[in-house]
Amino acid sequence: MQDVVDPVTDEMLAQFVVDSHFRSQPKGANMDDKAFSESQEETRASAGLAADSKILSQDLLRKYLTYAKLNIFPRFHEKDMAKLTKVYADLRKESSRGQGVPIAVRHIESMIRMSEAHARMHLRQHVTEEDVDMAIRVLLESFISTQKFGVQKALRKSFRQYITFKKDYHGLLLALLRELVNNALRFEEILSGSARRLSYVDVKVADLQAKAEEYEISNLEAFFSSTEFKAFYELDEQRQVIRHHLADNDKPQV
């Protein structure tokens, strides 16, 4: 038997799998939100878990896992199932060009199970987009690692919106932005002989985006909303520029 890659058939098969999963109601999934919230609070209270606790004892961790296993049965939304279907079809298409492990139905099942597991870890009764993106990223990293080096680069570019999920690139982006600001200051010095009179520097969003894409970062929205960015920069969405107000120690010495 041959596993022939066909985009239409692959998407139909993926749709059948996710629809079957969506129609099946997991046991215990009929807890209403109020009852769930109350039971969750009772568990935390009985375990003595403070709101700001970061380190769990082994005993509390066992209770947490037991509670999640017995009471949390996450369900999918239709839009998330549609995303999994699309990713599976795209991966099937790409896998036909490489030399690594082929993509099969078991991989979409894996994404479904990982999404549910991630939601369960966070005591959520519904699978969120964050859970789905995490599962897609894990599968993509595994699949891409089986390909030849040249193919890996092309695949990372094609699926970069999923691969960069939840990674903290703020430090890197700040460094890239500082470099662009310094370049702008040096350019001003060449043109006018001094940048001492400047009170601010504007950097084009497009320039930062181009730098970021060299590191496979395609979405800057989270960075622009971060406290790290807002502490030093302002975003002018209308003009599509980033403004940095200069302090005396930012300006080049004469």
Side-chain angles (χ1 to χ4, degrees):
M1 294 180 64
Q2 290 185 335
D3 185 14
V4 180
V5 176
D6 181 280
V8 176
T9 305
D10 291 339
E11 189 162 352
M12 289 175 61
L13 180 59
Q15 191 65 52
F16 172 78
V17 172
V18 298
D19 283 349
S20 298
H21 189 86
F22 185 73
R23 286 194 298 269
S24 64
Q25 295 296 323
K27 180 182 177 182
N30 60 348
M31 289 179 66
D32 57 45
D33 292 338
K34 183 178 179 182
F36 167 67
S37 298
E38 290 175 352
S39 60
Q40 186 176 359
E41 290 300 323
E42 289 173 1
T43 300
R44 287 179 174 174
S46 63
L49 178 61
D52 58 348
S53 295
K54 292 184 179 180
I55 301 177
L56 301 181
S57 65
Q58 290 188 358
D59 183 56
L60 179 55
L61 180 59
R62 280 194 293 268
K63 290 180 179 179
Y64 187 96
L65 295 176
T66 301
Y67 177 84
K69 183 177 180 180
L70 297 178
N71 296 281
I72 308 301
F73 301 90
R75 289 177 292 177
F76 274 87
H77 295 289
E78 289 186 27
K79 65 174 184 177
D80 295 321
M81 286 297 194
K83 177 184 281 191
L84 290 177
T85 300
K86 182 180 184 306
V87 171
Y88 172 78
D90 291 343
L91 271 174
R92 282 281 294 177
K93 190 186 304 180
E94 293 292 343
S95 69
S96 65
R97 303 171 187 170
Q99 301 295 323
V101 178
I103 292 295
V105 175
R106 67 179 183 274
H107 291 99
I108 193 170
E109 288 283 1
S110 296
M111 287 190 287
I112 290 173
R113 301 306 177 196
M114 284 190 290
S115 299
E116 291 175 334
H118 195 260
R120 181 170 283 162
M121 282 172 52
H122 292 82
L123 303 183
R124 289 193 282 261
Q125 290 286 24
H126 288 87
V127 174
T128 66
E129 185 176 10
E130 176 183 324
D131 302 320
V132 173
D133 286 345
M134 181 283 307
I136 292 172
R137 179 174 65 86
V138 170
L139 183 69
L140 282 172
E141 291 284 9
S142 176
F143 169 68
I144 291 174
S145 67
T146 68
Q147 308 300 314
K148 293 182 177 179
F149 180 77
V151 178
Q152 286 185 20
K153 189 173 182 180
L155 286 173
R156 288 186 181 279
K157 185 175 182 180
S158 299
F159 294 99
R160 62 187 176 188
Q161 60 176 315
Y162 302 111
I163 294 174
T164 57
F165 160 78
K166 276 291 191 180
K167 288 188 176 179
D168 186 4
Y169 287 115
H170 293 180
L172 174 59
L173 290 171
L174 281 174
L176 294 175
L177 190 48
R178 280 196 296 269
E179 180 184 348
L180 290 172
V181 168
N182 290 334
N183 289 343
L185 286 171
R186 284 194 289 269
F187 184 70
E188 180 63 26
E189 281 189 298
I190 294 172
L191 286 182
S192 60
S194 174
R196 297 288 294 174
R197 291 189 297 270
L198 292 179
S199 59
Y200 62 85
V201 172
D202 284 343
V203 173
K204 293 180 180 178
V205 172
D207 291 342
L208 179 60
Q209 184 73 62
K211 285 276 189 182
E213 288 181 353
E214 294 177 7
Y215 296 87
E216 300 179 351
I217 305 172
S218 58
N219 192 336
L220 301 180
E221 290 182 8
F223 174 62
F224 291 147
S225 301
S226 68
T227 55
E228 296 98 319
F229 173 82
K230 292 180 178 179
F232 301 101
Y233 302 96
E234 296 175 1
L235 175 64
D236 187 333
E237 295 186 17
Q238 186 173 1
R239 296 175 55 225
Q240 283 295 288
V241 297
I242 301 165
R243 175 161 294 183
H244 174 60
H245 293 278
L246 297 172
D248 289 338
N249 57 353
D250 289 327
K251 300 177 183 179
Q253 299 297 320
V254 179

